[in-house]
Coordinates of all heavy atoms in Angstrom, one line a residue:
Y217 N 109.3 127.5 101.7 CA 110.7 127.4 102.2 C 111.1 125.9 102.4 O 112.3 125.5 102.1 CB 111.0 128.1 103.4 CG 110.8 129.6 103.3 CD1 110.0 130.3 104.1 CD2 111.6 130.2 102.4 CE1 109.9 131.7 104.0 CE2 111.5 131.7 102.3 CZ 110.6 132.3 103.1 OH 110.7 133.7 103.0
Q218 N 110.2 125.1 102.8 CA 110.6 123.6 103.2 C 111.1 122.9 102.0 O 111.7 121.8 102.2 CB 109.4 123.0 103.9 CG 108.2 122.6 103.1 CD 107.1 123.7 103.1 OE1 107.5 124.9 103.4 NE2 106.1 123.4 102.5
D219 N 110.8 123.2 100.9 CA 111.1 122.6 99.6 C 112.6 122.8 99.3 O 113.0 122.2 98.4 CB 110.1 122.8 98.5 CG 108.7 122.3 98.8 OD1 108.6 121.3 99.6 OD2 107.8 122.9 98.2
H220 N 113.2 123.8 99.7 CA 114.4 124.3 99.3 C 115.5 123.4 100.1 O 115.2 123.2 101.3 CB 114.8 125.7 99.4 CG 113.8 126.5 98.5 ND1 112.7 127.1 99.0 CD2 114.0 126.8 97.2 CE1 112.3 127.9 98.0 NE2 112.9 127.5 96.9
D221 N 116.6 123.0 99.5 CA 117.7 122.3 100.3 C 118.2 123.0 101.4 O 118.6 122.5 102.5 CB 118.7 121.7 99.4 CG 118.2 120.8 98.4 OD1 117.2 120.1 98.8 OD2 118.9 120.6 97.2
E222 N 118.3 124.2 101.3 CA 118.9 125.2 102.3 C 118.1 125.3 103.5 O 118.5 125.8 104.7 CB 119.5 126.5 101.9 CG 118.2 127.4 101.4 CD 117.9 127.3 99.9 OE1 118.5 126.3 99.3 OE2 117.2 128.1 99.5
H223 N 116.9 124.8 103.6 CA 115.9 124.9 104.6 C 115.5 123.4 105.1 O 114.3 123.3 105.5 CB 114.6 125.8 104.2 CG 115.0 127.1 103.9 ND1 115.3 128.1 104.7 CD2 114.8 127.7 102.8 CE1 115.6 129.2 104.0 NE2 115.2 129.0 102.8
A224 N 116.5 122.6 105.0 CA 116.2 121.2 105.5 C 115.8 121.2 107.0 O 114.9 120.4 107.3 CB 117.3 120.3 105.3
A225 N 116.4 122.0 107.9 CA 116.0 122.0 109.2 C 114.5 122.3 109.5 O 113.8 121.8 110.3 CB 116.9 122.9 110.1
F226 N 114.0 123.5 108.7 CA 112.6 123.8 108.7 C 111.7 122.7 108.3 O 110.6 122.6 108.9 CB 112.5 125.1 108.0 CG 111.2 125.7 108.0 CD1 110.6 126.1 109.2 CD2 110.3 125.8 106.9 CE1 109.3 126.7 109.3 CE2 109.0 126.4 106.9 CZ 108.6 126.8 108.0
R227 N 112.2 121.9 107.3 CA 111.3 120.8 106.8 C 111.2 119.8 107.9 O 110.1 119.2 108.1 CB 111.9 120.2 105.6 CG 111.2 119.2 104.9 CD 111.8 118.5 103.6 NE 113.3 118.6 103.6 CZ 114.0 119.4 102.6 NH1 113.3 120.1 101.8 NH2 115.2 119.3 102.6
T228 N 112.4 119.5 108.6 CA 112.3 118.6 109.6 C 111.4 119.0 110.8 O 110.6 118.2 111.4 CB 113.8 118.5 110.1 OG1 114.5 118.0 109.1 CG2 113.8 117.3 111.3
L229 N 111.4 120.4 111.1 CA 110.6 120.9 112.2 C 109.1 120.7 111.7 O 108.3 120.6 112.6 CB 110.9 122.4 112.2 CG 110.2 123.2 113.4 CD1 110.5 122.7 114.8 CD2 110.4 124.6 113.1
L230 N 108.7 120.9 110.4 CA 107.3 120.7 110.0 C 107.0 119.2 110.0 O 105.8 119.0 110.3 CB 107.2 121.3 108.6 CG 107.3 122.8 108.5 CD1 107.1 123.2 107.0 CD2 106.3 123.6 109.4
E231 N 107.7 118.4 109.8 CA 107.6 116.9 109.7 C 107.2 116.3 111.2 O 106.6 115.3 111.4 CB 108.6 116.1 109.0 CG 108.6 116.3 107.5 CD 107.2 115.7 107.0 OE1 106.8 114.6 107.5 OE2 106.5 116.4 106.1
Q232 N 107.9 116.9 112.1 CA 107.9 116.3 113.5 C 106.5 116.1 114.1 O 106.1 115.1 114.6 CB 108.9 117.2 114.5 CG 109.1 116.4 115.8 CD 109.7 115.1 115.7 OE1 110.7 115.0 114.9 NE2 109.4 114.2 116.4
P233 N 105.7 117.1 114.0 CA 104.2 116.8 114.5 C 103.5 115.8 113.7 O 102.8 115.0 114.5 CB 103.4 118.1 114.3 CG 104.6 119.2 114.0 CD 105.8 118.5 113.6
R234 N 103.7 115.5 112.5 CA 103.1 114.4 111.8 C 103.7 113.2 112.3 O 102.9 112.2 112.6 CB 103.4 114.6 110.3 CG 102.6 115.6 109.8 CD 102.8 115.7 108.2 NE 102.1 116.8 107.6 CZ 102.7 117.6 106.8 NH1 103.9 117.4 106.2 NH2 102.0 118.7 106.2
Q235 N 105.0 113.1 112.4 CA 105.5 111.8 113.2 C 105.0 111.6 114.5 O 104.8 110.4 114.9 CB 107.1 112.0 113.1 CG 107.7 112.0 111.7 CD 109.1 112.2 111.7 OE1 109.8 112.4 112.7 NE2 109.8 112.2 110.5
D236 N 105.0 112.7 115.4 CA 104.4 112.5 116.7 C 103.0 111.8 116.7 O 102.5 111.0 117.4 CB 104.4 113.8 117.4 CG 105.9 114.2 117.8 OD1 106.7 113.4 117.6 OD2 106.0 115.4 118.1
A237 N 102.2 112.5 115.7 CA 100.7 112.1 115.7 C 100.7 110.7 115.1 O 99.8 109.9 115.6 CB 100.0 112.9 114.6
S238 N 101.5 110.3 114.3 CA 101.5 108.9 113.9 C 101.9 108.0 115.0 O 101.2 106.8 115.1 CB 102.5 108.8 112.7 OG 102.6 107.4 112.2
A239 N 102.9 108.3 115.7 CA 103.2 107.4 116.9 C 102.1 107.4 117.9 O 101.8 106.3 118.4 CB 104.5 108.0 117.5
I240 N 101.4 108.5 118.1 CA 100.4 108.3 119.1 C 99.1 107.6 118.5 O 98.5 106.8 119.3 CB 99.8 109.9 119.4 CG1 100.9 110.6 120.2 CG2 98.5 110.0 120.2 CD1 100.6 112.1 120.4
M241 N 98.9 107.8 117.2 CA 97.7 107.0 116.7 C 97.9 105.5 116.7 O 97.1 104.6 116.7 CB 97.4 107.5 115.3 CG 96.8 108.9 115.3 SD 96.2 109.4 113.7 CE 97.3 108.8 112.5
D242 N 99.3 105.1 116.7 CA 99.6 103.7 116.6 C 99.2 102.9 117.8 O 98.9 101.7 117.8 CB 101.2 103.4 116.2 CG 101.5 103.8 114.9 OD1 100.6 103.7 114.0 OD2 102.7 104.0 114.6
T243 N 99.2 103.7 118.9 CA 98.7 103.2 120.3 C 97.2 103.3 120.6 O 96.9 102.9 121.7 CB 99.6 103.8 121.4 OG1 99.2 105.1 121.5 CG2 101.1 103.6 121.0
R244 N 96.5 103.9 119.7 CA 95.1 104.1 120.1 C 94.2 103.1 119.4 O 94.4 102.7 118.4 CB 94.7 105.5 119.5 CG 95.4 106.7 120.3 CD 94.7 107.2 121.4 NE 95.4 108.3 122.1 CZ 95.2 109.5 122.0 NH1 94.1 109.9 121.2 NH2 95.7 110.4 122.8
F245 N 93.2 102.7 120.1 CA 92.1 102.0 119.4 C 90.8 102.4 120.1 O 90.5 102.6 121.2 CB 92.2 100.6 119.7 CG 91.0 99.7 119.3 CD1 91.3 99.2 117.9 CD2 90.0 99.4 119.9 CE1 90.2 98.5 117.3 CE2 89.0 98.6 119.3 CZ 89.1 98.2 118.1
P246 N 89.7 102.8 119.2 CA 89.8 102.8 117.8 C 90.8 103.9 117.3 O 90.9 104.9 117.8 CB 88.3 103.0 117.4 CG 87.8 103.7 118.5 CD 88.5 103.3 119.7
L247 N 91.2 103.6 116.1 CA 92.1 104.6 115.4 C 91.3 105.9 115.2 O 90.3 106.0 114.5 CB 92.6 103.9 114.1 CG 93.6 104.7 113.3 CD1 94.9 104.7 114.0 CD2 93.7 104.1 111.9
P248 N 91.9 107.0 115.7 CA 91.3 108.3 115.5 C 91.5 108.7 114.1 O 92.4 108.2 113.3 CB 92.0 109.3 116.4 CG 93.4 108.6 116.8 CD 93.2 107.0 116.5
R249 N 90.7 109.6 113.6 CA 90.8 110.1 112.2 C 91.8 111.2 112.2 O 91.8 112.2 113.0 CB 89.4 110.6 111.8 CG 89.4 111.1 110.4 CD 88.0 111.5 110.0 NE 87.9 111.9 108.5 CZ 87.0 112.4 107.9 NH1 85.7 112.5 108.6 NH2 86.9 112.7 106.7
Y250 N 92.8 111.1 111.3 CA 93.8 112.1 111.2 C 93.6 112.9 109.9 O 93.4 112.3 108.8 CB 95.2 111.4 111.2 CG 96.4 112.4 111.0 CD1 96.8 113.2 112.0 CD2 97.0 112.5 109.9 CE1 97.8 114.1 111.9 CE2 98.0 113.5 109.6 CZ 98.4 114.3 110.6 OH 99.5 115.0 110.6
I251 N 93.5 114.3 110.0 CA 93.4 115.0 108.8 C 94.6 116.0 108.7 O 94.7 116.8 109.5 CB 92.0 115.7 108.9 CG1 90.8 114.8 108.9 CG2 91.8 116.7 107.7 CD1 89.5 115.4 109.1
S252 N 95.2 116.0 107.6 CA 96.2 117.0 107.4 C 95.6 118.0 106.5 O 95.2 117.7 105.4 CB 97.4 116.4 106.5 OG 98.3 117.3 106.4
A253 N 95.6 119.3 106.9 CA 94.9 120.4 106.2 C 95.7 121.5 105.9 O 96.6 122.0 106.8 CB 93.7 120.8 107.0
D254 N 95.6 122.2 104.7 CA 96.3 123.4 104.5 C 95.3 124.4 104.6 O 94.0 124.2 104.3 CB 96.8 123.3 103.1 CG 98.0 122.4 102.8 OD1 98.7 122.2 103.8 OD2 98.0 121.8 101.6
Q255 N 95.8 125.7 105.0 CA 94.9 126.9 105.1 C 94.0 127.0 103.9 O 94.5 127.1 102.8 CB 95.6 128.0 105.6 CG 94.8 129.3 106.0 CD 95.6 130.3 106.4 OE1 96.8 130.4 106.2 NE2 95.0 131.2 107.0
H256 N 92.7 127.4 104.1 CA 91.8 127.7 103.1 C 91.4 126.6 102.0 O 90.8 126.8 101.0 CB 92.1 129.0 102.4 CG 92.4 130.2 103.2 ND1 91.5 130.6 104.0 CD2 93.6 130.8 103.4 CE1 91.9 131.7 104.8 NE2 93.2 131.8 104.3
K257 N 91.7 125.3 102.5 CA 91.4 124.2 101.6 C 90.0 123.5 102.2 O 89.7 123.9 103.3 CB 92.5 123.2 101.5 CG 93.8 123.8 101.0 CD 93.7 124.1 99.5 CE 95.1 124.7 99.1 NZ 95.0 125.1 97.7
S258 N 89.6 122.5 101.4 CA 88.5 121.9 101.9 C 88.4 121.2 103.3 O 87.7 121.3 104.0 CB 87.8 121.0 100.9 OG 88.7 120.0 100.7
E259 N 89.8 120.6 103.5 CA 89.9 119.9 104.8 C 89.9 120.8 105.9 O 89.4 120.6 107.0 CB 91.3 119.1 104.7 CG 91.2 118.0 103.7 CD 91.8 118.4 102.4 OE1 92.1 119.7 102.1 OE2 91.9 117.6 101.5
A260 N 90.4 122.0 105.7 CA 90.5 123.0 106.7 C 89.1 123.5 107.1 O 88.8 123.8 108.3 CB 91.5 124.2 106.3
R261 N 88.4 123.7 106.0 CA 86.9 124.2 106.2 C 86.2 123.2 107.1 O 85.4 123.5 107.9 CB 86.2 124.6 104.9 CG 86.8 125.7 104.3 CD 86.1 125.9 102.9 NE 84.7 125.7 102.9 CZ 83.9 126.8 103.0 NH1 84.4 128.0 103.3 NH2 82.6 126.6 103.1
F262 N 86.4 121.8 106.7 CA 85.8 120.8 107.5 C 86.2 120.8 108.9 O 85.3 120.6 109.8 CB 86.1 119.4 106.8 CG 85.7 118.3 107.6 CD1 84.4 117.9 107.6 CD2 86.5 117.5 108.6 CE1 83.9 116.7 108.3 CE2 86.1 116.4 109.1 CZ 84.7 116.0 109.1
L263 N 87.4 121.0 109.3 CA 87.9 121.1 110.5 C 87.4 122.2 111.4 O 87.0 122.1 112.5 CB 89.3 121.0 110.7 CG 90.2 119.8 110.5 CD1 91.7 119.9 110.3 CD2 89.7 118.8 111.4
I264 N 87.3 123.4 110.7 CA 86.8 124.6 111.4 C 85.3 124.3 111.7 O 84.8 124.7 112.8 CB 87.0 125.9 110.5 CG1 88.5 126.2 110.4 CG2 86.1 127.0 111.0 CD1 88.7 127.2 109.3
C265 N 84.7 123.7 110.8 CA 83.2 123.4 110.9 C 83.0 122.5 112.1 O 82.1 122.8 112.9 CB 82.7 122.9 109.6 SG 81.0 122.2 109.7
K266 N 83.8 121.5 112.4 CA 83.6 120.5 113.3 C 84.2 120.9 114.6 O 83.5 120.7 115.7 CB 84.4 119.2 112.9 CG 83.7 118.4 111.9 CD 82.3 117.9 112.3 CE 81.5 117.2 111.2 NZ 80.3 117.0 111.7
L267 N 85.2 121.6 114.7 CA 85.8 122.1 115.9 C 85.3 123.4 116.5 O 85.3 123.6 117.7 CB 87.4 122.4 115.7 CG 88.0 121.1 115.4 CD1 89.6 121.3 115.1 CD2 88.0 120.0 116.5
N268 N 84.7 124.3 115.6 CA 84.2 125.5 116.1 C 82.9 125.8 115.5 O 82.8 126.7 114.4 CB 85.1 126.6 115.9 CG 84.8 128.0 116.5 OD1 83.8 127.9 117.3 ND2 85.2 129.1 116.1
P269 N 81.8 125.0 115.6 CA 80.5 125.2 114.9 C 79.8 126.5 115.4 O 78.7 126.8 114.9 CB 79.8 124.0 115.2 CG 80.3 123.6 116.5 CD 81.7 123.9 116.5
S270 N 80.4 127.2 116.2 CA 79.8 128.5 116.8 C 79.8 129.6 115.8 O 78.9 130.5 115.9 CB 80.5 129.0 118.1 OG 81.8 129.3 117.7
V271 N 80.5 129.5 114.7 CA 80.5 130.4 113.7 C 79.8 129.8 112.4 O 80.4 129.0 111.8 CB 82.0 130.9 113.2 CG1 81.9 132.0 112.1 CG2 82.8 131.4 114.4
T272 N 78.6 130.1 112.4 CA 77.7 129.6 111.2 C 77.1 130.7 110.3 O 77.3 131.9 110.6 CB 76.7 128.7 111.8 OG1 75.8 129.5 112.5 CG2 77.3 127.6 112.7
H273 N 76.3 130.3 109.5 CA 75.6 131.3 108.6 C 74.5 132.0 109.4 O 74.1 133.1 109.1 CB 74.9 130.5 107.5 CG 73.9 129.6 107.8 ND1 74.2 128.3 108.3 CD2 72.6 129.5 107.9 CE1 73.2 127.5 108.6 NE2 72.2 128.3 108.4
N274 N 74.1 131.5 110.6 CA 73.2 132.1 111.5 C 73.9 133.1 112.4 O 73.2 133.8 113.3 CB 72.4 131.2 112.3 CG 71.4 130.4 111.4 OD1 70.9 130.8 110.5 ND2 71.2 129.1 111.7
S275 N 75.2 133.2 112.5 CA 75.9 134.0 113.5 C 75.6 135.5 113.1 O 75.6 135.9 112.1 CB 77.4 133.8 113.5 OG 77.7 132.5 113.8
T276 N 75.5 136.3 114.2 CA 75.2 137.7 114.0 C 76.6 138.5 114.1 O 76.6 139.7 113.9 CB 74.2 138.3 115.1 OG1 74.7 137.9 116.4 CG2 72.8 137.5 114.7
D277 N 77.6 137.9 114.8 CA 78.8 138.6 115.1 C 79.6 138.6 113.7 O 80.1 137.6 113.2 CB 79.7 137.9 116.1 CG 80.9 138.6 116.5 OD1 81.1 139.8 116.0 OD2 81.8 138.1 117.3
I278 N 79.9 139.8 113.1 CA 80.6 139.9 111.8 C 82.0 139.7 112.1 O 82.7 139.5 111.0 CB 80.3 141.3 111.1 CG1 80.7 142.4 112.0 CG2 78.8 141.3 110.7 CD1 80.7 143.7 111.3
H279 N 82.5 139.8 113.2 CA 84.0 139.6 113.5 C 84.3 138.3 113.9 O 85.5 138.0 114.3 CB 84.5 140.6 114.4 CG 84.3 142.0 114.1 ND1 84.7 142.7 112.9 CD2 83.3 143.0 114.5 CE1 84.4 143.9 112.8 NE2 83.5 144.2 113.7
A280 N 83.4 137.4 113.9 CA 83.6 136.0 114.4 C 84.5 135.1 113.6 O 85.0 134.1 114.1 CB 82.3 135.3 114.7
G281 N 84.6 135.3 112.3 CA 85.4 134.5 111.5 C 84.6 134.1 110.2 O 83.5 134.6 109.9
Q282 N 85.2 133.1 109.5 CA 84.5 132.6 108.3 C 83.3 131.8 108.6 O 83.3 130.9 109.5 CB 85.6 131.7 107.5 CG 85.0 131.2 106.2 CD 86.2 130.4 105.7 OE1 87.1 129.9 106.3 NE2 85.9 130.1 104.4
A283 N 82.2 132.3 108.0 CA 80.9 131.5 108.2 C 80.9 130.2 107.3 O 81.2 130.3 106.1 CB 79.7 132.4 107.8
I284 N 80.7 129.1 108.0 CA 80.6 127.8 107.3 C 79.2 127.2 107.6 O 79.0 126.9 108.7 CB 81.8 127.0 107.8 CG1 83.1 127.7 107.4 CG2 81.6 125.5 107.0 CD1 84.3 126.9 108.0
P285 N 78.4 126.9 106.6 CA 77.2 126.3 106.8 C 77.4 124.8 107.5 O 78.1 124.1 107.1 CB 76.6 126.1 105.6 CG 77.3 127.1 104.6 CD 78.7 127.2 105.2
T286 N 76.7 124.6 108.7 CA 76.9 123.3 109.3 C 75.6 123.0 110.0 O 74.8 123.9 110.4 CB 78.1 123.3 110.3 OG1 78.1 122.0 111.0 CG2 77.8 124.5 111.4
D287 N 75.3 121.8 110.3 CA 74.2 121.3 111.0 C 74.5 121.2 112.6 O 73.7 121.2 113.4 CB 73.6 120.0 110.6 CG 73.0 120.1 109.1 OD1 72.6 121.1 108.8 OD2 73.1 119.2 108.5
D288 N 75.9 121.2 112.8 CA 76.4 121.2 114.3 C 76.0 122.3 115.0 O 75.9 123.5 114.3 CB 77.8 120.8 114.3 CG 78.1 119.6 113.6 OD1 77.2 118.7 113.7 OD2 79.2 119.5 113.1
V289 N 75.9 122.3 116.3 CA 75.6 123.5 117.1 C 76.8 123.8 118.0 O 77.5 122.7 118.3 CB 74.3 123.3 118.0 CG1 73.1 123.3 117.1 CG2 74.4 122.2 118.9
S290 N 77.0 124.9 118.5 CA 78.1 125.2 119.3 C 77.8 124.7 120.8 O 76.6 124.4 121.2 CB 78.3 126.7 119.4 OG 77.2 127.4 120.1
L291 N 78.8 124.5 121.6 CA 78.6 124.2 122.9 C 77.7 125.1 123.7 O 76.9 124.7 124.5 CB 80.0 124.0 123.6 CG 79.9 123.6 125.1 CD1 79.3 122.1 125.2 CD2 81.3 123.6 125.7
K292 N 77.8 126.4 123.4 CA 77.0 127.4 124.0 C 75.5 127.1 123.8 O 74.6 127.1 124.7 CB 77.3 128.8 123.6 CG 76.6 129.9 124.3 CD 77.1 131.3 123.8 CE 76.2 132.3 124.3 NZ 76.1 133.5 123.6
V293 N 75.2 126.9 122.5 CA 73.8 126.6 122.1 C 73.2 125.3 122.8 O 72.2 125.3 123.2 CB 73.7 126.7 120.6 CG1 72.3 126.3 120.2 CG2 74.0 128.0 119.9
F294 N 74.0 124.3 122.7 CA 73.7 123.1 123.3 C 73.4 123.3 124.9 O 72.5 122.7 125.4 CB 74.9 122.0 123.1 CG 74.6 120.7 123.8 CD1 73.6 119.8 123.2 CD2 75.3 120.3 124.8 CE1 73.4 118.6 123.7 CE2 75.1 119.1 125.4 CZ 74.1 118.2 124.9
M295 N 74.3 124.0 125.5 CA 74.2 124.1 127.0 C 72.8 125.0 127.2 O 72.2 124.7 128.3 CB 75.4 124.8 127.7 CG 76.6 123.8 127.6 SD 76.4 122.3 128.5 CE 76.3 122.8 130.2
E296 N 72.6 126.0 126.5 CA 71.4 126.8 126.7 C 70.2 126.0 126.5 O 69.3 126.1 127.2 CB 71.5 127.9 125.8 CG 72.5 129.1 126.0 CD 72.6 130.1 125.0 OE1 72.0 130.0 123.9 OE2 73.3 131.1 125.3
H297 N 70.2 125.2 125.5 CA 69.1 124.2 125.3 C 68.9 123.2 126.4 O 67.7 123.1 126.9 CB 69.2 123.4 124.0 CG 68.0 122.6 123.5 ND1 66.9 123.1 123.2 CD2 67.9 121.3 123.6 CE1 66.1 122.2 122.9 NE2 66.6 121.0 123.2
L298 N 69.9 122.7 127.0 CA 69.8 121.7 128.2 C 69.3 122.5 129.4 O 68.4 122.1 130.0 CB 71.2 121.1 128.5 CG 71.7 120.1 127.5 CD1 73.0 119.5 128.0 CD2 70.7 118.9 127.6
I299 N 69.8 123.7 129.6 CA 69.3 124.6 130.8 C 67.8 124.8 130.6 O 67.0 124.7 131.4 CB 70.1 125.8 130.9 CG1 71.6 125.5 131.4 CG2 69.4 126.8 131.8 CD1 72.6 126.6 131.3
K300 N 67.4 125.1 129.3 CA 66.0 125.4 129.1 C 65.1 124.1 129.4 O 64.1 124.3 130.0 CB 65.8 125.9 127.6 CG 64.4 126.2 127.3 CD 64.3 126.6 125.8 CE 62.9 126.5 125.4 NZ 62.7 126.8 124.0
L301 N 65.5 123.0 128.9 CA 64.9 121.8 129.1 C 64.8 121.4 130.7 O 63.7 121.0 131.2 CB 65.5 120.7 128.3 CG 65.3 120.8 126.9 CD1 66.0 119.5 126.2 CD2 63.8 120.6 126.5
A302 N 65.9 121.6 131.3 CA 65.9 121.4 132.7 C 65.1 122.3 133.6 O 64.3 121.8 134.5 CB 67.3 121.5 133.4
V303 N 64.9 123.6 133.2 CA 64.0 124.5 133.9 C 62.6 124.2 133.6 O 61.8 124.3 134.5 CB 64.4 125.9 133.5 CG1 63.5 126.8 134.1 CG2 65.8 126.1 134.0
E304 N 62.3 123.7 132.5 CA 60.8 123.4 132.1 C 60.3 122.2 132.9 O 59.1 122.3 133.1 CB 60.7 123.3 130.6 CG 60.8 124.5 129.8 CD 60.7 124.2 128.4 OE1 60.6 123.0 127.9 OE2 60.7 125.2 127.5
S305 N 61.1 121.4 133.1 CA 60.6 120.1 133.7 C 60.8 120.1 135.3 O 60.9 120.9 136.0 CB 61.3 118.9 133.1 OG 62.7 119.0 133.3

């Protein structure tokens, strides 16, 4: 819709978060990595993998979402490992 002239307001609405992100990044050091991703594209898969590594090829929950192979571990697995190490010592 945003490519049609009659939906210029919608196009503006979609552009506002990008402008906000750009303004925020201008004040940050070091400069954060900004990724613009479309659904089901490679950038989106990368973001899902980094932001939610709890859904991996080792997941047993079939309703958890799309499985993306990753070397990252979820926060839950990390915390369980820390607890195990703390209890052993």
Side-chain angles (χ1 to χ4, degrees):
Y217 292 123
Q218 70 272 13
D219 296 332
H220 298 105
D221 290 334
E222 62 268 12
H223 299 290
F226 183 61
R227 178 177 36 244
T228 304
L229 182 68
L230 291 177
E231 282 296 320
Q232 190 61 44
R234 290 185 183 135
Q235 293 172 359
D236 291 346
S238 178
I240 291 170
M241 288 190 323
D242 287 343
T243 62
R244 299 266 176 103
F245 182 81
L247 185 68
R249 184 174 181 185
Y250 179 78
I251 299 172
S252 179
D254 292 326
Q255 186 177 12
H256 303 299
K257 302 291 182 185
S258 63
E259 296 90 359
R261 290 175 51 86
F262 173 78
L263 283 175
I264 291 171
C265 171
K266 289 295 180 184
L267 296 177
N268 187 15
S270 60
V271 180
T272 66
H273 60 284
N274 291 329
S275 298
T276 57
D277 186 8
I278 61 171
H279 302 293
Q282 181 181 13
I284 300 171
T286 179
D287 291 334
D288 296 331
V289 296
S290 68
L291 180 61
K292 179 182 176 199
V293 171
F294 178 73
M295 292 301 289
E296 288 172 353
H297 185 70
L298 283 179
I299 291 169
K300 179 182 169 188
L301 289 175
V303 170
E304 286 179 357
S305 51

